[in-house]
Amino acid sequence: MSKRQPEKRRLNTSKADGSYRGREIEPYPVRPRRERPAADPAQPEKRPRPEMEAKTVRQRPAQELFEQWPEDSAPNPKGKKKKGNKKNRPESENAQRRRVSRGELRRRRRRRRILAIILTLLLVTAGSILSVTVLFTVKSMRVENLDKTVPADTGIYTEDAILGALAIPMEENMFRFSAKEREEVMSRMLPYLETIRVRRSLPSTVVVQVEPAQASWGVWQPGGWLVLSRGLKIMEQSAQAPEGLPVIYGLEAESTVPGTFLAIRPQQAEPVLKEDGTLDEEAAKNAQLAQQQAAAAKLADLRRLMDLLDTEGLREDVTVLDLREENETYFVYQNRIKVLLGTFNNLEYKLGAVAKLVKNESGEFLGPRDRGVLDVSHQLDDQVVRIPFDPVEFTVEAPQTGPQPEPQTEPTEPQPQEPQPGEPGGDAPAEGQEEQTPAQQPENGEPTGENQ
């Protein structure tokens, strides 16, 4: 049994009557230490592990450690901290190694970063110099179709003409020119090519992919006609309507230069005035922007209409497409059926119904000899499909090409007439010609007799 420890007592500090009073109370129960069992002589004695020995060494009495420490670095036995004690205490070997290694690691990281940046700059510089001088220079050029097949279908042009329009000399660096700019320049120079793509085939080949354009539409303009491809690329200008092509009315191109794609000219917005009569520039700018958006939307509707005509198989049979009235769009099918579309709303359903009626695959709708007006512009609220067909003759009024004379609004002054022979100031009548009396002279270009 271990020696019994003295009993611990505590004071009662409660203030039941409002004043301090202390008295001893019962002690805490203290449990005695458990007795260690006696060693068994039959079993070998267990030796502590090395870490336990180290722990035992570390847990030596403080007085013993205090005697081993130097005077200037000895801990305060009373537990008070001394100023400068931590600085004056010598660092252990592990701490010194750890501090040195951390600083060295920071310096090594810094040196590695600087070295990596320098190497990167050197590699980029060397690569740029080599790519400009030695590597990636143009050694050959090739013309092919869009599907990368050869020989290419170049239309009316030859491959030499296409490569000449490319204007890239041999031994030129592959990355010194812009492929997009080359495509735009070649598109203007070669208007009979629908699509032109310039590609780089490393290390030393420039590839030009082409697709020939097909004349598909004739667009009326105030100064003549434009011939457009299927992709609405302007191929040429003409003073007369192109033969064998469907015509489009109601489109005014912003540019008529061959080689460019069709862009609709926006209408001029009306000036907006303020209350004081000055021009409202902000409102005028917004109005002009609205006109530009309307022109872009009209072009998008036109492309959508042509795509749907291709989808339904009607494009080859369209002869006239009229877009002059915004809400009264129509086209003529085989010069015998005028199809009223109205607006571009629900266009897919309208053209699907037209294709079913005019193709007449079932044999119960319009035949090849029917002529008239087919109206699909109305959409009924009761969801009942009613598409009237009026078998009447119709005409398409084509606009006049060229400037028209302006009508005269002010009366013109009478022009002086030359004196007639026999009148005062006139010449004498020729021989063998009788002098006419006023009753016998013509009035307004019609002869008059004596009885009139």
Side-chain angles (χ1 to χ4, degrees):
M1 290 293 290
S2 62
K3 187 176 179 180
R4 184 181 180 87
Q5 295 182 357
E7 295 181 355
K8 296 182 181 180
R9 299 177 182 273
R10 61 186 177 89
L11 297 178
N12 186 2
T13 58
S14 61
K15 299 180 181 180
D17 54 356
S19 62
Y20 175 80
R21 58 174 181 161
R23 63 183 181 85
E24 292 185 351
I25 60 174
E26 66 277 3
Y28 285 113
V30 180
R31 296 181 180 180
R33 288 188 177 181
R34 296 178 60 183
E35 295 182 358
R36 295 182 180 179
D40 189 0
Q43 294 183 358
E45 184 181 358
K46 293 184 178 180
R47 298 187 63 182
R49 291 177 294 180
E51 55 269 17
M52 295 298 293
E53 293 180 359
K55 186 175 181 181
T56 304
V57 171
R58 285 198 298 270
Q59 291 182 354
R60 287 182 299 173
Q63 184 65 24
E64 217 175 295
L65 295 175
F66 179 74
E67 293 174 356
Q68 294 181 1
W69 287 345
E71 250 181 59
D72 55 350
S73 62
N76 189 1
K78 297 183 179 180
K80 295 182 180 181
K81 295 183 178 179
K82 294 181 180 180
K83 294 183 179 180
N85 188 25
K86 187 175 181 181
K87 294 182 179 179
N88 297 330
R89 182 184 302 174
E91 294 181 345
S92 63
E93 185 179 354
N94 294 334
Q96 291 179 2
R97 189 182 301 111
R98 186 165 52 252
R99 181 175 58 80
V100 172
S101 62
R102 287 176 181 174
E104 185 66 23
L105 284 176
R106 284 195 295 269
R107 287 190 293 272
R108 288 179 182 177
R109 292 194 195 101
R110 192 179 300 112
R111 287 195 295 268
R112 287 172 183 172
R113 292 194 193 100
I114 296 173
L115 184 60
I117 293 173
I118 295 174
L119 289 177
T120 304
L121 293 176
L122 290 176
L123 288 175
V124 170
T125 305
S128 302
I129 295 173
L130 289 175
S131 62
V132 171
T133 56
V134 179
L135 305 175
F136 307 121
T137 57
V138 179
K139 301 293 184 181
S140 61
M141 300 181 186
R142 184 173 69 251
V143 181
E144 62 185 19
N145 296 316
L146 295 181
D147 56 356
K148 300 182 180 181
T149 58
V150 291
D153 185 6
T154 58
I156 65 173
Y157 304 106
T158 62
E159 292 190 3
D160 294 338
I162 295 174
L163 296 179
L166 180 61
I168 296 178
M170 291 293 181
E171 302 300 330
E172 178 74 9
N173 184 256
M174 295 282 287
F175 300 98
R176 186 171 291 180
F177 62 89
S178 173
K180 186 175 182 180
E181 293 179 359
R182 290 289 90 201
E183 291 173 359
E184 294 177 356
V185 173
M186 294 178 67
S187 179
R188 295 188 182 94
M189 296 179 62
L190 308 173
Y192 286 89
L193 291 180
E194 181 76 36
T195 307
I196 301 175
R197 296 176 185 173
V198 179
R199 298 289 182 266
R200 299 179 178 89
S201 179
L202 298 179
S204 60
T205 304
V206 177
V207 180
V208 182
Q209 298 177 339
V210 297
E211 180 185 8
Q214 298 178 1
S216 301
W217 300 95
V219 180
W220 178 87
Q221 296 291 291
W225 292 82
L226 298 178
V227 179
L228 301 184
S229 65
R230 296 181 72 90
L232 301 183
K233 183 179 182 179
I234 301 175
M235 300 176 62
E236 63 182 37
Q237 290 179 294
S238 176
Q240 303 295 330
E243 297 181 0
L245 294 180
V247 296
I248 301 177
Y249 299 133
L251 289 182
E252 186 176 358
E254 188 172 8
S255 173
T256 59
V257 178
T260 60
F261 286 88
L262 178 67
I264 299 177
R265 182 190 301 275
Q267 297 181 359
Q268 189 67 28
E270 297 181 359
V272 181
L273 301 179
K274 297 181 181 179
E275 296 179 356
D276 56 355
T278 59
L279 179 64
D280 192 346
E281 297 182 358
E282 186 67 22
K285 183 178 180 180
N286 294 335
Q288 189 63 29
L289 181 61
Q291 293 294 339
Q292 294 176 0
Q293 293 176 353
K298 186 175 182 180
L299 181 60
D301 290 338
L302 176 62
R303 290 184 179 276
R304 185 162 64 98
L305 174 60
M306 291 182 176
D307 292 340
L308 290 174
L309 289 174
D310 277 336
T311 303
E312 301 295 339
L314 301 173
R315 186 166 182 170
E316 301 298 332
D317 295 322
V318 174
T319 55
V320 177
L321 178 59
D322 197 317
L323 304 172
R324 284 175 284 187
E325 297 294 335
E326 183 178 358
N327 297 327
E328 297 181 2
T329 304
Y330 69 87
F331 68 89
V332 180
Y333 179 80
Q334 293 181 354
N335 281 330
R336 59 185 181 87
I337 299 177
K338 182 178 180 180
V339 182
L340 305 180
L341 296 176
T343 63
F344 286 89
N345 297 331
N346 204 9
L347 194 59
E348 293 80 0
Y349 170 77
K350 294 177 182 179
L351 292 181
V354 170
K356 185 176 182 181
L357 294 175
V358 298
K359 288 183 178 180
N360 195 14
E361 296 177 355
S362 60
E364 54 183 351
F365 301 115
L366 300 178
R369 295 183 180 181
D370 290 330
R371 303 177 62 89
V373 178
L374 182 65
D375 190 357
V376 294
S377 61
H378 299 288
Q379 186 175 0
L380 303 178
D381 296 335
D382 55 0
Q383 298 182 356
V384 178
V385 179
R386 295 190 184 97
I387 302 177
F389 176 75
D390 190 5
V392 295
E393 293 293 333
F394 62 89
T395 57
V396 178
E397 297 181 0
Q400 297 180 359
T401 305
Q404 302 299 322
E406 298 181 356
Q408 297 180 358
T409 56
E410 299 181 359
T412 58
E413 297 181 358
Q415 301 293 335
Q417 298 181 357
E418 296 180 358
Q420 300 291 335
E423 293 183 357
D427 296 337
E431 295 183 2
Q433 181 179 4
E434 297 180 357
E435 183 178 355
Q436 294 182 350
T437 61
Q440 295 174 345
Q441 291 179 0
E443 295 180 1
N444 298 329
E446 295 181 0
T448 58
E450 297 179 355
N451 298 330
Q452 292 182 352

